Amino acid sequence: MTDAPPLVLDIDGTLTRPEGGIDPRVFEPVREWPAPVVLATGKAFPYPVALCTFIAIEERVIAENGGIAHVDHEVLVHGDRERTTAAVEAFQAAGGDLGWGDVDLVNRWRETEVAVDLDADEALLREVAAEHGLGVVDTGYAFHLKQPDMSKGLMLERVAERLGYEPGEFAAVGDSENDVSTFERVGRSFAPSNADDRALAAADVVLDEAHAEGALDALARLRT
């Protein structure tokens, strides 16, 4: 058995069941992984931190598509929420709706970007984003309004440095457009069969299995 590389793992669509929710089968192999594990997600900062707590691993996370991270008791911030908030206000003033209702739990604890429901007016959102010098990324679960120079891959460079690794020493598993920047930096990348077209094209290995089944297969391959 060879030494296992450090990991970067997406969450939604990667560690989840097809119908949604974390597949508990991933807990043990992730918890027992002999190298650092970083959970990298588009979700708001508290979500991956909480998941690390429940899995019982070190709280090493990249959240909000690279806008914020936590590694070894340090919080790293890249995104500018004030700039994004101004764009959201313009989007809403033009008739746009974030789509989460009056109690917006999706964005309540988000610090560096804003997530918008996939049923929202995408054309208007992209128009407003361009006017404010922002980008829009479609994760398959939401549109994320964020700085164009903000990505999981860029934040991985900072996280890896603090862990004493080069990004190329990591292996990654992910299923979405927002994982491409990670795939471009790691040494080996895997996409489950449910991944979107950009992730499938960027991955070194496209797995036969979907969702968590694919992630479990990738972890098994990396340990043999």
Side-chain angles (χ1 to χ4, degrees), residues 4-5 7-9 14-15 29 33 171-174 188-192 205-209 211-224:
L7 296 177
V8 188
L9 300 177
T14 301
L15 301 182
W33 199 257
V173 189
R188 197 171 183 195
S189 56
F190 299 81
V205 178
V206 175
L207 301 156
D208 292 332
E209 294 79 8
H211 301 275
E213 287 279 3
L216 289 167
D217 181 29
L219 298 185
R221 294 183 187 211
L222 288 166
R223 292 300 304 272
T224 57

Side-chain angles (χ1 to χ4, degrees), residues 14-19 21-32 55 209-217 219:
T14 301
L15 301 182
T16 51
R17 300 169 297 183
E19 66 273 21
I22 298 293
D23 189 324
R25 293 177 300 166
V26 305
F27 286 6
E28 185 175 351
V30 170
R31 183 170 54 245
E32 295 182 352
I55 296 176
E209 294 79 8
H211 301 275
E213 287 279 3
L216 289 167
D217 181 29
L219 298 185

Side-chain angles (χ1 to χ4, degrees), residues 97-120:
D97 184 354
L98 298 185
W100 309 119
D102 293 335
V103 180
D104 182 357
L105 297 181
V106 173
N107 290 304
R108 184 178 180 87
W109 301 284
R110 200 172 291 268
E111 298 187 33
T112 62
E113 52 146 48
V114 173
V116 182
D117 188 85
L118 291 175
D119 290 331

Side-chain angles (χ1 to χ4, degrees), residues 16-216:
T16 51
R17 300 169 297 183
E19 66 273 21
I22 298 293
D23 189 324
R25 293 177 300 166
V26 305
F27 286 6
E28 185 175 351
V30 170
R31 183 170 54 245
E32 295 182 352
W33 199 257
V37 176
V38 179
L39 299 184
T41 179
K43 284 191 177 296
F45 191 33
Y47 287 91
V49 172
L51 182 55
C52 288
T53 301
F54 287 119
I55 296 176
I57 60 175
E58 291 287 333
E59 294 159 344
R60 297 174 175 136
V61 305
I62 296 170
E64 302 177 22
N65 293 297
I68 191 166
H70 179 271
V71 56
D72 292 357
H73 310 293
E74 182 180 6
V75 174
L76 311 174
V77 180
H78 181 85
D80 180 354
R81 179 58 187 265
E82 290 184 8
R83 186 173 163 191
T84 310
T85 298
V88 167
E89 291 173 351
F91 175 66
Q92 292 173 320
D97 184 354
L98 298 185
W100 309 119
D102 293 335
V103 180
D104 182 357
L105 297 181
V106 173
N107 290 304
R108 184 178 180 87
W109 301 284
R110 200 172 291 268
E111 298 187 33
T112 62
E113 52 146 48
V114 173
V116 182
D117 188 85
L118 291 175
D119 290 331
D121 186 336
E122 181 181 359
L124 176 61
L125 180 65
R126 291 186 181 278
E127 178 183 340
V128 170
E131 291 172 352
H132 287 77
L134 298 172
V136 176
V137 64
D138 178 357
T139 65
Y141 297 90
F143 297 121
H144 293 257
L145 184 64
K146 66 179 191 67
Q147 292 176 210
D149 63 344
M150 192 172 95
S151 71
K152 290 184 182 181
L154 282 171
M155 187 58 86
L156 174 62
E157 294 179 4
R158 298 175 66 184
V159 169
E161 179 182 10
R162 282 157 177 78
L163 291 173
Y165 290 89
E166 294 293 330
E169 296 180 78
F170 282 77
V173 189
D175 75 308
S176 184
E177 174 184 346
N178 66 345
D179 296 305
V180 172
S181 63
T182 303
F183 289 178
E184 291 171 343
R185 289 166 171 81
V186 298
R188 197 171 183 195
S189 56
F190 299 81
S193 62
N194 58 289
D196 66 24
D197 290 343
R198 289 196 61 190
L200 290 172
D204 295 320
V205 178
V206 175
L207 301 156
D208 292 332
E209 294 79 8
H211 301 275
E213 287 279 3
L216 289 167

